[in-house]
Amino acid sequence: MKVSARSDTAQAAPLPVDLADGVFPAGCPSRTVLDHVTSKWGVLILLALSEGEQRWSDLRRRAEGISEKMLAQTLKTLERDGLVRRDAQPVIPPRVDYSLTDRGYELSALLVPLVAWAFENAEDIVNGQR
Amino acid sequence: MKVSARSDTAQAAPLPVDLADGVFPAGCPSRTVLDHVTSKWGVLILLALSEGEQRWSDLRRRAEGISEKMLAQTLKTLERDGLVRRDAQPVIPPRVDYSLTDRGYELSALLVPLVAWAFENAEDIVNGQR
DNA sequence: ACGGGCACTAACTTTCATGTGAGTACCTTA
DNA sequence: TAAGGTACTCACATGAAAGTTAGTGCCCGT
C-alpha cells in the first residue's frame, strides 16, 4: 500500500495505454466529466450522498457554505450525468430526496479515498510550504 | 435521522467520522488541497508524471492544449505542495526535470483509477443526457 | 397574521482560473 | 544570418464559476 521508496527511486507506474491516449488530448469527454466531478461542490455533494439518501435542506446544511444556487446547479449537473437520482414527492410541504445512482456509487467509491488522503495530508501540505 | 438507500444494488457507505467532520466545514485545508489537485491541469500533470520523470517541454507536449503560463503555474503549485520535485541542471541549453515526490506518487495512485473511471464512463455520460 | 421552513428559479455581479501574446537570454543547426 | 529550441516571466484580456439578492407558493406553529 505504501510506496516505500527513496526519493530518487520512486516508482514510475506506466498508465494503461488507452488512458494515456485518451485523457491527454484536448476536448475529450473525460475532461468534461472530470470537471463536473471535481468541481468545488461536486465532490462534497457526491461525498455527502455516499452516506445515503438525503433531502435538499439536509445537503444545504451539510455542505457548509454552499449557496442555494450552487446546490441546485450542482445537483442538476450530477443528475444529468446520471450520478444522482432525484425523487420529488408531491406532498406539502415539498419533499425531495436525492441519492446516488449505481454509477454514482461507483464514482464515490473512488472519490472517498482521494478525499480522505487530501484530508489527512492537508495540514502537512499547507503548513510545509518549503 | 439515519436514512437508508433505497436502491436495489447500491449501498450507502458511511464515511469515516473524521472525514465527515473534517471535509464539509468551509475553509478547511483539505478543500484547498483538493482544489490544487483537481484543477484542470493539475490532474493531467500529475498523471503524466506518474509515468516517470519528464522535462518541461515533454510535459508541454503531453498535456495537449496547456499554455506555457499554466504549465509553469501548475508545476509551481504542485511543487509548493510537495507533490512534484523540480531538478534544474545548470547546463546550456537549460534542462529541467520534473518528477513526483513520494507523496505525489501516493496521490497519483488514487488519481489514476478515478481518471480511468472518468475515461471509461465519459461517453455514456455525455451521450446519455436525456 | 407573522415569521419561518421547504424547494426551488432568475437576474445580476464579482472573483478567479485560465488564455493570449509578448519578451528574455543563451545556444545549436542550417 | 536567421530560425528554432530550451525554460521561463510578465502584463493584460476573457470567460466560466461562484456569490448575492430577490422572489415564488404553499403550509405550520405561535
Side-chain angles (χ1 to χ4, degrees):
Chain A
M1 70 168 172
K2 284 249 171 79
V3 186
S4 67
R6 309 202 359 234
S7 344
D8 49 327
T9 46
Q11 297 136 6
L15 297 167
V17 180
D18 57 337
L19 208 174
D21 287 352
V23 175
F24 293 106
C28 68
S30 50
R31 292 234 188 139
T32 308
V33 175
L34 236 29
D35 277 357
H36 295 176
V37 163
T38 64
S39 72
K40 176 167 183 184
W41 300 111
V43 194
L44 277 297
I45 297 302
L46 254 6
L47 225 66
L49 288 177
S50 78
E51 296 182 296
E53 193 171 65
Q54 267 160 90
R55 301 182 61 174
W56 165 277
S57 42
D58 294 334
L59 289 170
R60 182 154 172 39
R61 279 183 288 263
R62 195 75 202 275
E64 217 177 273
I66 197 171
S67 66
E68 301 203 321
K69 178 198 154 181
M70 287 317 295
L71 180 53
Q73 202 180 98
T74 305
L75 284 169
K76 241 178 221 166
T77 304
L78 296 177
E79 200 196 341
R80 252 205 318 270
D81 287 353
L83 301 167
V84 163
R85 185 183 307 118
R86 182 177 181 276
D87 178 27
Q89 284 148 258
V91 296
I92 275 163
R95 178 186 179 102
V96 184
D97 290 319
Y98 291 93
S99 53
L100 292 186
T101 61
D102 290 350
R103 176 176 281 160
Y105 273 106
E106 254 180 74
L107 213 209
S108 77
L110 301 170
L111 227 41
V112 168
L114 181 69
V115 176
W117 182 92
F119 179 60
E120 279 157 28
N121 290 264
E123 254 183 83
D124 274 13
I125 288 177
V126 173
N127 291 340
Q129 310 275 335
R130 49 170 176 260
Chain B
M1 307 175 198
K2 278 284 180 197
V3 216
S4 51
R6 216 121 293 205
S7 167
D8 295 338
T9 51
Q11 313 106 351
L15 264 16
V17 179
D18 58 336
L19 206 175
D21 287 353
V23 174
F24 292 106
C28 68
S30 52
R31 294 232 188 139
T32 309
V33 175
L34 236 28
D35 276 359
H36 294 174
V37 163
T38 64
S39 71
K40 176 168 183 182
W41 300 110
V43 194
L44 277 297
I45 297 302
L46 253 7
L47 225 68
L49 287 177
S50 78
E51 296 182 295
E53 191 171 66
Q54 267 159 91
R55 303 183 60 174
W56 163 277
S57 43
D58 293 334
L59 289 169
R60 182 156 173 37
R61 279 183 287 265
R62 194 74 202 276
E64 217 176 274
I66 198 173
S67 66
E68 302 203 322
K69 179 196 155 183
M70 287 317 296
L71 180 53
Q73 203 180 98
T74 305
L75 284 170
K76 242 179 221 165
T77 304
L78 296 177
E79 199 196 342
R80 254 204 318 271
D81 287 352
L83 301 168
V84 162
R85 184 184 307 116
R86 180 175 181 277
D87 178 28
Q89 285 149 258
V91 297
I92 275 161
R95 178 189 179 103
V96 184
D97 289 319
Y98 290 94
S99 53
L100 293 186
T101 61
D102 290 349
R103 175 176 282 159
Y105 273 106
E106 254 179 74
L107 213 210
S108 77
L110 301 170
L111 226 42
V112 168
L114 181 70
V115 176
W117 182 93
F119 180 59
E120 279 156 28
N121 289 265
E123 255 183 82
D124 274 12
I125 288 177
V126 173
N127 289 343
Q129 314 269 337
R130 44 137 186 255

